Amino acid sequence: MTIGQKIIQLRNSRGISQEKLAELMNVSRQSISKWEMEQSVPQIDKILQIAEIFSVSCDDLLQDKIELRGTLTAPLRNKYFGTDGFRGESNIGLTSMHAYKVGRFLGWYYSLQLKNENGTRRPKIVIGKDTRRSSYMLEYAIASGIATSGADAYMLHVTTTPSVSYITRLDGFDCGIMITASHNPFHDNGIKVINRYGEKLDDETTALIEAYLDGDLASLGVAGDDLPLATGDKIGCIHDHISGRNRYIGYLISTASNSYKKLRIGLDCANGASWSIARAVFGALGAQLYIVGDEPDGLNINKDCGSTHIENLAKLVREKHLDIGFSFDGDCDRCLAVDENGNIVDGDKIMYLLAKRLKSRGMLKDDTVVATVMSNSGFVASLNKIGIKCVQTKVGDRFVYECMQEKGYSIGGEQSGHIIIKKYATTGDGLLTAIMVAEEICDSKSSLSTLVEDVVVYPQYLKNVRVSDKDEVMNDK
């Protein structure tokens, strides 16, 4: 067990947040995060501090072979949660009871943290959802679980994943929840949990959620057959928080410095979470809008529309002679574009355009972009040609963000359209990406096709291979 793992376990066992530990040690929250992610090791004076705070010996912390006992911990199961949260077919792989239990755990867990920090308030958890029919069922189940455990739930209603991340950070929530299965069909759904900094929840806390879902209360240090119920005035409240979504819309509008009155823009909202927000944002910026995929009925999210069916937007752009088109997925954390000729501009080309923009303004840290191994090698070569390096990670926007955090890089993303621009967000944001592309078109007075014409695309073939043990294959040298 590494020192980073031990710090996480000690924090969880005492219900102490990264923020509180940083305050006790007079260091930054980022330092605590780096220690726990094993991106750096605390100096000896800090190790002595940690040992004193948690009443353990330095040997307990430093020797990998020593396991800490009596701490709040659970083995990593990955039975329910993957890199994109808890996913499953509604009422088969993911039921309302699962959702209720996730809410129960989070309400209890953050109540425990506040109690141990001598807090006097109830925890606050914000919830957003996409347009799937089952999202409403899961939303109420989660909110009920949160209130039952003594925390307050705040409902953003139908909104995007990046908006939940933004509002969690802005309004000081203990965590955020997004109910979505992203680009998947309506019968699937999912639960994404976001920490107070707008980032994906750490693996250790996720393992505790899974322990509770499996009835392993011993790992939580709880006696009995369930978590304690809040009673009397300790029962949580459920609040409407649509004002948070409105502030997010205002924030997006504020990131633009140009008027789009001369731009004819097509939007495909995938009948998903962005269906009203996208219109509000680009309408406020003055664009002449042509919108499809903006009539959700609970069953048509991503159906023949959105970023997984971008050919429909390409047809619209050609037929209406538009300047540009933007296509989003069900929860709007990704964006693909279509140029004025109806040609598809994928995430690689968008990253090239935005990285070049940042470099010209002296805002591209170390002249480096973070991508995944799925990116086209022609994209990497094109970046190198203009003096930009490319660091590649495992597939998943989580790994892209972790690399960006570790090195302080400015931009990263995936070919599929997840683009993270560190100055503005901690997660992929389809609408923000679209705004930044539109800004470059206005500032450069160039068409989208011109802006990405130097990107060379090499032949690429992607094939999924089914294996019996994914971890064994990936670790096979």
Side-chain angles (χ1 to χ4, degrees), residues 80-81 85-108 125-129 133-149 153 155 175-180 189-193 209-210 212-214 226-227 238:
Y80 304 102
F81 284 81
F86 189 160
R87 289 279 180 88
E89 187 171 349
S90 300
N91 273 347
I92 298 177
L94 173 58
T95 69
S96 55
M97 184 55 69
H98 287 130
Y100 173 74
K101 286 187 173 182
V102 170
R104 281 278 279 137
F105 174 85
L106 293 172
W108 168 80
I125 299 174
V126 67
I127 306 171
K129 66 174 182 285
R133 179 178 291 181
S134 61
S135 292
Y136 295 79
M137 169 187 76
L138 298 175
E139 175 190 41
Y140 290 123
I142 291 172
S144 177
I146 289 169
T148 299
S149 286
M155 318 286 261
C175 78
I177 298 170
M178 180 64 186
I179 302 163
T180 183
N189 217 325
I191 300 171
K192 294 182 180 181
V193 185
I209 300 175
E210 294 212 349
Y212 178 57
L213 289 171
D214 279 340
D226 205 348
L227 297 175
I238 299 176

Side-chain angles (χ1 to χ4, degrees), residues 108-146:
W108 168 80
Y109 179 74
Y110 288 105
S111 295
L112 182 65
Q113 284 201 354
L114 286 177
K115 180 181 178 182
N116 289 334
E117 293 175 16
N118 297 316
T120 57
R121 66 171 178 85
R122 284 195 297 263
K124 302 190 306 177
I125 299 174
V126 67
I127 306 171
K129 66 174 182 285
D130 67 18
T131 56
R132 293 163 216 271
R133 179 178 291 181
S134 61
S135 292
Y136 295 79
M137 169 187 76
L138 298 175
E139 175 190 41
Y140 290 123
I142 291 172
S144 177
I146 289 169

Side-chain angles (χ1 to χ4, degrees), residues 47-67:
I47 291 173
L48 290 169
Q49 266 189 283
I50 294 168
E52 182 179 355
I53 289 169
F54 294 110
S55 300
V56 296
S57 72
C58 290
D59 283 345
D60 287 339
L61 289 172
L62 293 172
Q63 294 187 30
D64 289 351
K65 292 181 179 180
I66 297 178
E67 300 283 333

Side-chain angles (χ1 to χ4, degrees), residues 262-265 317 321-325 338-340 441 448:
K262 295 182 179 180
L263 287 181
R264 291 161 55 83
I265 298 178
V317 169
H321 305 290
L322 306 184
D323 296 307
I324 192 171
V338 174
D339 70 18
E340 73 281 3
I441 288 173
L448 180 57

Side-chain angles (χ1 to χ4, degrees), residues 160 249 252-253 260 265-269 272-296 328 332 431:
T160 66
I249 291 172
L252 287 178
I253 294 169
Y260 298 167
I265 298 178
L267 301 174
D268 186 343
C269 300
S274 66
W275 78 273
S276 64
I277 296 177
R279 180 188 296 274
V281 170
F282 282 95
L285 292 171
Q288 303 170 53
L289 294 177
Y290 298 79
I291 305 179
V292 295
D294 62 338
E295 298 180 352
F328 312 112
C332 198
L431 289 169

Side-chain angles (χ1 to χ4, degrees), residues 12 75 108 255 257 290 318 339 421:
N12 284 335
W108 168 80
T255 63
S257 57
Y290 298 79
R318 287 192 297 267
D339 70 18
I421 308 172

Side-chain angles (χ1 to χ4, degrees), residues 299-312:
L299 307 178
N300 62 357
I301 186 170
N302 300 312
K303 184 178 181 181
D304 301 322
C305 59
S307 59
T308 53
H309 296 278
I310 196 170
E311 64 277 1
N312 296 323

